[in-house]
Every structure is written in C-alpha cells, then in structure tokens.
Amino acid sequence: MSADDKNRQEIIRLTLSDSPMPDIQIDGMPEFAPGWVWLAGAGPGDPGLLTLHAVNALKQADKVVYDALVSEDILSLVRPDAELFYAGKRGGKPSWNQQDVTNKLIELAKTGHRVLRLKGGDPFVFGRGGEEAQALVAADIPFRMIPGISAGVGGLGYAGIPATHRDVNHAVTFVTGHLAGKGQAELLDWASIAKASPVIVIYMAMSRLAVIAELLLQAGRSSDEPVAIVTHATTARQRIAMGRLAEAAKLAETHTLEPPSIIVIGEVVNLAETLHWFGDKPL
Ligand code: SAH
C-alpha cells in the first residue's frame, strides 16, 4: 500500500442522533476506509467516557475485535451488521493468544474490512496496543490509534481520588502488579518506586497485593499509609474500599473485592472522603 493510500482517509460528519442526547453533529471526523485497522480505547467502562473518535469508529467498523473489559453497553453501539470477535479470556476454555489476535486483525484487514480493535482503558497503557500496532506495521496494514481514558486516571476520578494534588504529590507512578509474583519481584525496582513516587497506582495487582505491600513496607513506606481499592470503576458495580498499607491484602478479602480493580497508595486517597461523588460511599 502506498503512502498516498495510507493517507486516503476522508473527513466525515459524526451524528449522534440515536442517543437520548440532543442531536450533535461534528464535522471533520475521519472516514474508516476498508483495509484499515483502528486500535481504540473504550475507557474504563462507563460508555460516557468513550471519545468521539471511538464512537465514530464503532459507527463505521464492520469487524470488531474486543477484549473482556469492554462493556456490553459499549458494544451495543456497533453497527447492527458488524461482526464481533471476542479476544479475551474465557473462564477455563481456550482463549486467543496475542499471535491469534494479531493474525485475526491482519486477516480481516487484508480481506478489505474496517477492523476496530477495541480495548479497555487506553490501548497503550498495559494493553499490548503497542505490540499490535507493531504487528500491523510489519504486515503493512494502515492503522489509526485512538487513545482512551485509562482506568488509573478515569477510575480514580470516579472514586474522588485525584491522581495528583498540589499539596500532596508532584509525581505519580503507574505500575503493573503482574510482575510482583514469586521470582518476579526483582523485575521491577519496587524500592525505587517507593522512594520516588508519593502516589502509586497499580494495575492488575489483586492477586499480588500482599507481596506488593510487603515490598513497599520494606522500602520504607509507612504501614499507616492510605490505600484504596477501586473495583469496577465508573460502572454501576463500582465499589471503593479504603484502608492502610499494612492491611491492603486483608482489605480486598474483607470486602470480597475482585478484578478488575485499581489500587492507589498515597495520601491522595484521603481526598475520597470529601471528593467521593459516584456510587456507594467508600467502605
Ligand atoms: N489498558 C487498560 C488496562 C488494561 S490492564 C487501561 O488503560 O485502563 C487490566 C487492568 O486494568 C485491571 O486488572 C485493572 O487493574 C485495571 N482496570 C481496567 N478497567 C478497570 C475498571 N473499570 N475498574 C478498576 N480497574 C480497572
């Protein structure tokens, strides 16, 4: 495909008239050309947090390859004749691996479809979006990337926890808890993170919370430091539990909190007591 072809996307008008909102028309949205893959973030769950580019993509795509964290409400926005492919994990049953996903994207694009790859949050934040984009480039498939609101920012917002607050922190670290298992803790320098970052936002950490809390305590963080676990953030199932670093793992157990959950460690957590505005009160 030539560079010209790659730039051939035309500009269209996005009309949001089939929603309960007043008619909104936005000029200048890109047309989804056949043979393209659009790699889009769906945000943390609330459909209201989709970007207009993501809605524009949902309205035009004819094939949608989506992950487990993309909600039904969001999928209901696809064209009625669009074909959906589930690429997430299926309790117990074989699920697609990363290679299966990229193969499917490439195959669908090469056969002339408008392929929407829809991921929870932002595709480039702990979402393997970069790997998929690399595979598309290698296969000479033109693509567009549509950022989404990441759970570590938007999910915190719905819990009334600012990721930064002027009197509290001038830095924040987003980290995956995935690498805190047995023999893996050394892959991440938790001691440096503990020293450098007053606020730590941890994705994919529920099963490793005890190990992570221990590593942070060893690195000198206070056992009294506030921790919040925000489960199913931005959805009707959102729950927030607040506690202390020393009892972080117990907190999840006591309130039977499960994934998807985002964990926040740092003094900003206390702000939820006054800034909490969505769903049930913090536990
Ligand atoms: N790309 C996504 C992250 C994917 S990793 C993003 O930018 O948000 C999956 C992890 O994201 C989950 O284990 C959880 O830690 C977090 N997560 C995603 N959606 C969430 C939600 N609605 N509430 C709480 N955590 C969420």
Side-chain angles (χ1 to χ4, degrees), residues 17-266:
S17 53
D18 51 357
S19 69
M21 295 184 286
D23 263 19
I24 299 175
Q25 294 201 334
I26 296 157
D27 286 322
M29 299 303 285
E31 184 183 325
F32 207 152
W36 280 64
V37 175
W38 285 8
L39 185 55
D46 179 353
L49 297 176
L50 285 168
T51 62
L52 292 172
H53 273 300
V55 175
N56 182 44
L58 283 158
K59 291 200 159 209
Q60 295 183 71
D62 43 40
K63 306 284 174 189
V64 179
V65 180
Y66 67 100
D67 280 350
L69 290 175
V70 178
S71 69
E72 290 283 319
D73 288 348
I74 287 171
L75 290 173
S76 71
L77 299 172
V78 299
R79 262 169 44 183
D81 59 336
E83 190 179 0
L84 298 177
F85 299 85
Y86 177 64
K89 299 232 170 10
R90 305 162 187 272
K93 296 193 202 129
S95 50
W96 290 9
N97 61 29
Q98 195 56 47
Q99 192 64 50
D100 296 332
V101 175
T102 47
N103 287 348
K104 182 53 100 182
L105 297 177
I106 291 165
E107 171 204 317
L108 291 171
K110 283 205 163 144
T111 45
H113 296 288
R114 300 171 182 85
V115 187
L116 173 59
R117 173 68 174 121
L118 199 57
K119 287 168 170 284
D122 183 286
F124 281 5
V125 178
F126 303 126
R128 297 194 167 190
E131 288 167 54
E132 292 178 20
Q134 282 176 318
L136 296 172
V137 170
D140 205 20
I141 308 281
F143 78 98
R144 163 183 277 268
M145 193 275 178
I146 301 173
I149 295 183
S150 190
V153 177
L156 264 55
Y158 271 48
I161 303 175
T164 70
H165 192 69
R166 201 152 55 118
D167 297 334
V168 176
N169 64 318
H170 300 282
V172 54
T173 297
F174 298 98
V175 58
T176 171
H178 212 67
L179 296 178
K182 269 199 193 117
Q184 288 178 315
E186 69 276 12
L187 294 173
L188 258 180
D189 189 349
W190 287 95
S192 296
I193 294 170
K195 284 197 184 73
S197 191
V199 173
I200 306 172
V201 178
I202 317 177
Y203 293 68
M204 295 176 275
M206 287 303 269
S207 61
R208 309 217 165 76
L209 205 43
V211 180
I212 293 167
E214 187 50 40
L215 288 163
L216 293 173
L217 290 171
Q218 278 169 18
R221 296 295 279 242
S222 156
S223 54
D224 279 344
E225 193 162 345
V227 173
I229 302 175
V230 190
T231 298
H232 289 293
T234 82
T235 74
R237 296 164 71 193
Q238 173 172 308
R239 287 167 77 206
I240 311 164
M242 287 165 62
R244 305 277 150 203
L245 184 56
E247 58 183 30
K250 224 167 62 199
L251 193 62
E253 228 179 86
T254 311
H255 300 295
T256 54
L257 299 178
E258 287 168 358
S261 292
I262 203 91
I263 291 151
V264 197
I265 298 168

